[in-house]
Every structure is written in structure tokens, then in C-alpha cells.
Amino acid sequence: MRQDSAEYQTVEASDENCYPDPSFRNPQSGGADAAEEAEPIWFHTHFEDSMEMYADAATVAQHLNNHKNWFCQCALPMKAEPIGENGYDLLIGRFGAFGYRVEARIGLELLPPDAEGRYLIKTIPVPNYTAPGYEVDFRSAMKLVEIPSDEFAADWPASQRAQLPPAITSATWKLDLAVGVCFPKFIRSMSQPLIEKTGDALLEKIIKQVNRRLTYKTQLVFHESLGIPFPKNPKKH
């Protein structure tokens, strides 16, 4: 895992992840090409993952519901600022392809669990901010599933299994993400399939990298804040 940092690098289609950089400036909007009206080109990705929390579902739910106590910390090195009761202004990083870069900043609302026990996250506007040349539609749903530890860790070594509480909770989620980018003319003149293929691949890479870091930090903060041992899952190592 990369250590927390206030700096980041640009993510190109083949580079590493990136994080907020105060010195970055978005493309200027005064040029003739920038002023030209253009329909956004949309990129899409669907992503599913899960994480184990070594406590019963009620304990995990209580922690998740108090997101003001953990979300900003877990988002680091991304920058997160609260918006109202359940929202956050999240500066994800600087991304690019074909020599064109944008700084991704979105508003997310972490909704309380619905009648089916799902934790939904959706895009919300960031006050006093207009995204420079892109749109984001973020929709995710997470579900908590409590599993008896004997069942979950049936094939673990006895020394590892002994560290577990009577039940563990698996948080599983699905994400549907769409990003529309208004590219300058020099990129729109390229092959549409090439642009879409590159954009979809870059979007998938960004999601996987951000998800990996955010998942690990969420697990770590949960277990450390409650003083719960966090054993490694032998099936994943």
C-alpha cells in the first residue's frame, strides 16, 4: 500500500494511480476549440467486490452509519470534504489519455440503509463547482451478510480460526459508473472505437486501484477503532 500523501501523479492509460495535487490547473476554457460545443463521449464500467469485517453485522452497520468518523480518513490520500449530512466532495485525482488530462472531482452521497438493508451511494452536485468538461454518474449498492465464523473459516489453520469472533460480516457491493468527457477536437478526430476502448480500460484501472486502497483502509480503521484483531485471510494470501 502507498503511504498517505498530499501529492499524486497523473494517471495515463498505462501509468500508476494519482491523487490530488494543489498545483494542478485544469485546461483553459478560453480557446476556440475549448469553446466549441461537443457532445461528451461516455465510458462505462461495472465493478463488484467484497471485504470481510471481523464482527457481527450489527456492529459493522453501526460503524458504517457513522461515516463522518471514518470516511475522510479512509479516503486519504484523496481529499474529501463533507457536504451536508451524508455527502462528500471528493477530489479523486488527475487522469489522462492521448495527452489530454482532467482532474476528477465528484460529490457522493452515502445514504442510510434502505428497507432491504442496502447501502446506496450516488452522485450529487458539489456546491459552487462545475466540472470542466466531464460528467459523472456513480451508483453503487452494498449489502452486509453475516456468516458464522466456523463456516467462513472452515479451512483456516486452527491458530488463525481461533482469532475470529463467533460471526464475521462480508460487505459486498456493486458499482455502475459512467463518465462522459467533452474531448477537444484533436482527440475527437481519432477513431471512436479506439477512444472508447482506451477510456473504458483507463476507467476500469482507476476503479480497481482506488477500490483496493479504500477497501484496505476501511477494514483497517474499522478494526483498529474497535480494538478488534484483524487476521489475514489465508485464502487471500
Side-chain angles (χ1 to χ4, degrees):
M1 292 294 169
R2 179 176 298 179
Q3 297 297 316
D4 292 355
S5 171
E7 299 180 354
Y8 73 152
Q9 298 176 345
T10 300
V11 171
E12 300 291 343
S14 60
D15 288 343
E16 287 301 317
N17 204 4
C18 63
Y19 296 102
D21 177 357
S23 66
F24 178 73
R25 296 293 182 269
N26 288 306
Q28 297 298 315
S29 59
D33 184 56
E36 180 182 344
E37 292 292 332
E39 290 294 322
I41 297 176
W42 285 90
F43 308 101
H44 304 82
T45 189
H46 176 80
F47 184 77
E48 298 184 19
D49 202 0
S50 65
M51 63 181 174
E52 292 87 25
M53 313 290 264
Y54 295 97
D56 59 83
T59 301
V60 175
Q62 183 178 14
H63 175 79
L64 294 178
N65 291 340
N66 295 324
H67 51 76
K68 290 184 179 180
N69 293 334
W70 58 266
F71 184 82
C72 291
Q73 178 183 357
C74 292
L76 288 170
M78 296 181 292
K79 183 179 180 182
E81 298 288 344
I83 301 176
E85 187 66 24
N86 296 308
Y88 294 90
D89 172 2
L90 187 63
L91 182 56
I92 300 175
R94 191 169 73 228
F95 310 104
F98 305 115
Y100 178 74
R101 301 181 179 94
V102 296
E103 189 170 57
R105 178 182 176 187
I106 60 175
L108 295 178
E109 184 176 20
L110 281 61
L111 296 171
D114 63 14
E116 299 178 5
R118 297 178 305 167
Y119 289 80
L120 306 179
I121 303 177
K122 66 176 184 178
T123 314
I124 58 173
V126 175
N128 304 314
Y129 175 75
T130 300
Y134 65 89
E135 304 174 43
V136 179
D137 184 12
F138 183 107
R139 299 175 185 272
S140 76
M142 182 176 69
K143 184 84 171 180
L144 302 182
V145 179
E146 188 173 287
I147 306 171
S149 293
D150 289 343
E151 174 185 331
F152 171 76
D155 58 349
W156 286 33
S159 60
Q160 292 278 358
R161 192 165 58 247
Q163 300 181 52
L164 298 177
I168 69 100
T169 300
S170 176
T172 62
W173 62 88
K174 298 180 180 181
L175 167 66
D176 287 297
L177 179 65
V179 177
V181 181
C182 296
F183 286 112
K185 186 176 181 180
F186 79 92
I187 290 180
R188 297 200 305 274
S189 64
M190 297 180 181
S191 163
Q192 183 84 4
L194 174 62
I195 295 174
E196 292 178 352
K197 180 180 179 180
T198 302
D200 287 344
L202 179 58
L203 189 60
E204 181 179 359
K205 180 178 181 180
I206 293 166
I207 290 298
K208 287 182 177 179
Q209 291 181 350
V210 172
N211 174 75
R212 184 175 67 249
R213 289 167 169 82
L214 184 57
T215 296
Y216 174 76
K217 284 197 169 186
T218 301
Q219 289 176 300
L220 193 62
V221 168
F222 170 75
H223 293 91
E224 288 185 345
S225 65
L226 297 178
I228 299 173
F230 183 27
K232 291 184 178 180
N233 183 340
K235 294 179 288 186
K236 291 191 174 183
H237 297 274

